[in-house]
Amino acid sequence: MSDCLFCKIAQKEIPSKIVYEDAQIMAFADINPVAPVHILLIPKKHLLSVNDIMEEDEALIGRIFAAIKELARKLEIAESGYRVVTNTGTDGGQVVGHLHFHLIGGRALRAGLG
Ligand code: AMP
Ligand code: ZN
């Protein structure tokens, strides 16, 4: 989508600190990290939110979680633990309208949600 921030990041029209990339997905550092490790993982294909995930996207989402697991290992938070968050829609606090998964770790996060 031409007017989407994360599509522009995926197409490298806007620079980002890329930590993983393949033909279908990209992982890059969050510009406003809330923890020592804060990575965003996106499908390169524009999907607005979890609500937009179709059956044909199941392998893509699986690939994102495989990358999350691998990045957690590489960034040495696999053992200490981490959180994966996907905000969806207004009440979910989604600000950027391109499906993304926050990988957050490197410090003890507060228990619970919301
Ligand atoms: P969300 O509230 O789930 O939509 O989160 C959007 C996230 O995108 C926030 O954590 C922002 O800090 C992050 N963000 C916004 N612009 C950029 C950017 N240009 N590069 C990297 N991260 C960004
Ligand atoms: Zn997009």
Side-chain angles (χ1 to χ4, degrees), residues 9-80:
I9 285 180
Q11 287 152 22
K12 295 173 187 157
E13 288 168 24
I14 291 176
S16 67
K17 200 175 153 204
I18 298 168
V19 294
Y20 176 77
E21 182 181 11
D22 64 28
Q24 288 165 331
I25 70 174
M26 185 184 271
F28 54 95
D30 194 293
I31 206 166
N32 186 22
V34 299
V37 174
H38 189 168
I39 304 295
L40 298 174
L41 293 100
I42 63 167
K44 288 187 171 178
K45 163 184 173 179
H46 182 85
L47 293 173
L48 177 59
S49 75
V50 170
N51 290 335
D52 260 17
I53 298 171
M54 298 298 160
E55 210 174 319
E56 68 197 35
D57 302 314
E58 285 174 3
L60 179 63
I61 302 305
R63 202 181 182 94
I64 287 175
F65 273 86
I68 287 171
K69 176 187 166 184
E70 186 58 18
L71 278 172
R73 191 186 63 77
K74 278 191 182 155
L75 297 170
E76 299 182 330
I77 57 169
E79 296 304 321
S80 52

